[in-house]
């Protein structure tokens, strides 16, 4: 076989056979299919798409490109969760211990942030001492003993995705449904959980800009999961504004702690309890949202989170330390009215420029910087009331401040928002 013929085949809108996909993935991981041919293929997939059978072959060959985790030593139904990426998305930090507080084991591998999106690993690494590199043995032992672990993905898991994702990132081929679906599901399948909750983000701050696109991605991933015997549910969630009230690594840890202490914003707390209810249902534990919420109110979820942090070497005193920055700048409302828009993409990029995110993979992070919003979409504001505080380790220029203010949309009439748009199972 020759890669050039397979690229041409896809370019011309034809289906690649199972053998051809296997050959391409094996060759790519072995280095015999070079980056430039793989990127041409990814672009051909962007224009011509892939059939259900092709996506399934791609996913399973990606799974086979690395190790697969065997979680069978952990008793019970193991549940996992994945978000397709967002701004201020600290959901895993609360959801994982909350679900584990119901004795449902959560063995989760998370990723890093890139561009305007944040990554759970970076947030956890802002806690002094927290280890994200854990051997498979210790990972399983921690879940057996503590009920929850959130670690970094081992280098040997889905090697094809590591290579392909880095390539897609620099060749404008990230936002392609067959490639996102195979990337996400290959990692989830290889990570070994019995059941998977997929948080498919929709809106301006997400890869999927419309509900229609997100629905196709969600259904594709749910079908891939079910085809290999994993109970899979996808939830389409709103990413038109940042999740919760903060963007930035330490700031999001602090917000997660507030939510776990029952002191978070009502809408985000309710949203996470709803996700927990679905995740528990996947493990055959039927609870009402109110019952789930009790584990926030009685401190059980917070205790689980602290246990996880401690088990992974994190310093519990440092955990509660406020963000340490040289500049805190309030952004004030320009007029009376209601907040009708806080574009997630714009604020994600703003936080990235403060050092909270990476423009390229090799960028160093400033864990302390970011944004705290005092108002969210739907809230009333009065002129000169603080809408947000910028946490920075550099001067915030007038230009940056004007740019921030310009992105806060205020109108006379309020709008409704909802976090969960649709559930696909
Ligand atoms: N998240 C992933 O893991 N892979 C993608 O391709 C996009 C989002």
């Amino acid at each position: 076989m020759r890669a050039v013929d397979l690229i041409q085949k896809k370019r011309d809108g034809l289906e690649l056979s199972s053998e051809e996909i296997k050959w391409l993935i094996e060759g790519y991981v072995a280095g015999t299919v070079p980056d430039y041919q793989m990127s041409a293929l990814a672009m051909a997939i962007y224009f011509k798409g892939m059939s259900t059978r092709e996506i399934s072959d791609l996913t399973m060959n990606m799974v086979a490109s690395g190790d697969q985790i065997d979680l069978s030593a952990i008793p019970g139904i193991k549940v996992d969760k994945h978000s397709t990426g967002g701004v201020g998305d600290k959901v895993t930090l609360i959801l994982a211990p909350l679900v584990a507080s119901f004795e449902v084991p959560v063995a989760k591998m998370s990723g890093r942030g890139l561009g305007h999106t944040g990554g759970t690993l970076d947030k956890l690494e802002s806690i002094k001492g927290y280890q994200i590199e854990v051997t498979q043995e210790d990972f399983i032992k921690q879940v057996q003993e503590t009920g929850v672990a959130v670690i970094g993905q081992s280098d040997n898991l889905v090697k094809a995705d590591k290579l392909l994702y880095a390539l897609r990132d620099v060749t404008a081929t990230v936002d392609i449904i067959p490639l996102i679906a195979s990337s996400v599901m290959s990692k989830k399948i290889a990570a070994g959980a019995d059941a998977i909750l997929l948080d498919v983000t929709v809106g301006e701050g997400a890869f999927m800009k419309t509900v229609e696109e997100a629905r196709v991605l969600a259904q594709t991933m749910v079908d891939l999961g079910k085809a290999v015997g994993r109970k899979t549910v996808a939830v389409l969630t709103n990413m038109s504004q940042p999740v919760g009230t903060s963007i930035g690594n330490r700031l999001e840890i602090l917000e997660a702690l507030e939510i776990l202490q029952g002191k978070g914003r009502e809408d985000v707390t309710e949203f996470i309890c709803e996700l927990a209810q679905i995740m528990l249902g996947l493990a055959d534990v039927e609870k009402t949202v109110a019952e789930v919420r009790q584990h926030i109110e009685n401190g059980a979820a917070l205790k689980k989170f602290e246990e996880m942090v401690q088990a992974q070497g994190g310093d519990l005193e440092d955990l509660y330390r406020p963000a340490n920055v040289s500049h805190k700048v309030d952004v004030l409302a320009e007029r009376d009215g209601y907040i009708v828009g806080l574009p997630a993409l714009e604020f994600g990029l703003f936080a990235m420029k403060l050092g909270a995110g990476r423009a390229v993979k090799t960028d160093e992070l400033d864990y302390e910087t970011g944004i705290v919003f005092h108002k969210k979409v739907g809230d009333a504001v009065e002129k000169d009331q603080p809408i947000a505080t910028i946490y920075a380790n550099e001067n915030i220029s007038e230009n940056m401040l004007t740019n921030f203010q310009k992105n806060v949309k205020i109108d006379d009439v309020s709008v409704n928002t909802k976090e969960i748009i649709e559930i696909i199972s």
Side-chain angles (χ1 to χ4, degrees):
M1 269 185 234
R2 295 192 319 158
V4 62
D5 299 326
L6 306 186
I7 297 166
Q8 186 173 347
K9 196 171 170 186
K10 184 45 66 188
R11 185 202 68 188
D12 295 344
L14 300 172
E15 254 191 75
L16 297 176
S17 71
S18 301
E19 293 69 36
E20 287 165 341
I21 291 173
K22 184 170 190 291
W23 184 87
L24 280 164
I25 294 299
E26 284 179 357
Y28 186 49
V29 173
T32 51
V33 173
D35 270 353
Y36 53 83
Q37 286 187 308
M38 210 56 187
S39 58
L41 181 71
M43 194 55 90
I45 295 170
Y46 175 83
F47 285 109
K48 300 295 177 179
M50 279 186 133
S51 68
T52 308
R53 201 264 312 141
E54 285 179 298
I55 300 173
S56 167
D57 283 337
L58 178 60
T59 307
M60 295 320 289
N61 279 292
M62 285 171 70
V63 172
S65 72
D67 293 347
Q68 292 179 50
I69 314 267
D70 179 3
L71 298 178
S72 59
I74 304 166
I77 301 175
K78 277 75 68 185
V79 288
D80 196 353
K81 174 255 170 190
H82 190 92
S83 158
T84 54
V87 178
D89 186 349
K90 70 277 300 166
V91 171
T92 292
L93 299 173
I94 305 133
L95 189 58
L98 178 55
V99 169
S101 73
F102 286 89
E103 316 242 311
V104 169
V106 181
K108 168 132 183 64
M109 292 187 175
S110 280
R112 297 193 182 281
L114 191 65
H116 69 283
T117 65
T120 301
L121 282 191
D122 299 323
K123 294 165 204 188
L124 286 168
E125 276 190 320
S126 75
I127 304 166
K128 194 169 148 199
Y130 193 99
Q131 295 302 315
I132 53 111
E133 275 175 37
V134 175
T135 63
Q136 200 167 310
E137 245 179 9
D138 287 346
F139 178 51
I140 290 173
K141 191 161 167 267
Q142 184 179 323
V143 181
Q144 281 168 335
E145 288 171 359
T146 315
V148 57
V150 179
I151 68 163
Q153 188 183 305
S154 109
D155 277 348
N156 292 329
L157 202 87
V158 196
K159 284 187 189 159
D161 185 60
K162 276 230 155 67
L163 298 169
L164 200 49
Y165 197 81
L167 185 70
R168 288 166 55 208
D169 189 43
V170 290
T171 56
T173 50
V174 171
D175 51 346
I176 305 175
I177 289 174
L179 299 186
I180 298 178
S182 51
S183 163
V184 170
M185 291 310 290
S186 59
K187 286 180 286 205
K188 294 294 105 181
I189 293 167
D194 307 299
I196 304 159
L197 172 68
L198 299 165
D199 177 354
V200 180
T201 50
V202 191
E204 197 248 356
F207 290 129
M208 299 293 106
K209 307 293 179 207
T210 67
V211 173
E212 290 70 31
E213 283 176 303
R215 207 176 270 142
V216 175
L217 174 61
Q219 193 66 61
T220 307
M221 295 196 289
V222 167
D223 292 346
L224 282 168
K226 284 185 179 167
V228 290
R230 314 289 169 98
K231 277 193 196 174
T232 311
V233 171
V235 181
L236 307 194
T237 64
N238 185 350
M239 192 52 72
S240 57
Q241 64 170 336
V243 179
T245 55
S246 57
I247 309 174
N249 299 290
R250 168 139 292 270
L251 294 171
E252 290 189 46
I253 291 285
L254 293 169
E255 186 188 353
L257 288 168
E258 267 178 25
I259 297 170
L260 285 165
Q261 288 165 325
K263 296 190 265 179
R265 245 185 99 95
E266 171 54 32
D267 47 8
V268 69
T269 307
E270 185 72 8
F271 162 55
I272 293 172
C273 288
E274 284 167 8
L275 291 183
Q277 184 198 27
I278 298 170
M279 228 166 136
L280 289 167
L282 282 168
D284 294 337
V285 175
E286 301 302 334
K287 295 283 169 198
T288 63
V289 175
E291 283 168 335
V292 172
R293 221 181 156 119
Q294 269 172 15
H295 278 215
I296 289 194
E297 274 142 29
N298 68 15
L302 177 65
K303 186 163 168 277
K304 245 326 140 209
F305 182 67
E306 287 186 347
E307 277 171 24
M308 177 183 88
V309 169
Q310 235 171 351
Q312 286 181 239
D315 178 336
L316 282 194
E317 257 174 58
D318 183 73
L319 182 62
Y320 288 90
R321 171 182 62 75
N324 184 9
V325 289
S326 56
H327 295 70
K328 283 188 204 169
V329 181
D330 283 339
V331 184
L332 308 181
E334 286 185 307
R335 49 163 291 193
D336 290 353
Y338 295 91
I339 307 276
V340 294
L342 290 174
L345 175 62
E346 305 302 333
F347 292 113
L349 290 172
F350 192 97
M352 184 191 87
K353 286 181 198 139
L354 297 174
R358 298 183 186 84
V360 291
K361 268 200 159 129
T362 46
D363 280 352
E364 289 263 324
L365 292 181
D366 184 337
Y367 291 126
E368 310 294 312
T369 57
I371 306 165
V372 173
F373 291 93
H374 309 300
K375 299 284 174 190
K376 294 286 306 282
V377 171
D379 291 349
V381 282
E382 285 170 20
K383 186 169 165 23
D384 290 338
Q385 218 182 3
I387 290 170
T389 303
I390 301 169
Y391 284 66
N393 275 321
E394 63 191 54
N395 252 331
I396 301 297
S397 65
E398 274 306 311
N399 203 11
M400 279 176 89
L401 209 53
T402 313
N403 182 28
F404 192 110
Q405 244 161 351
K406 192 181 78 198
N407 281 312
V408 177
K409 314 288 179 211
I410 302 179
D411 208 339
D412 296 330
V413 184
S414 182
V415 289
N416 281 329
T417 56
K418 56 174 183 178
E419 263 73 22
I420 294 185
I421 300 167
E422 200 170 304
I423 298 172
I424 293 178
S425 56

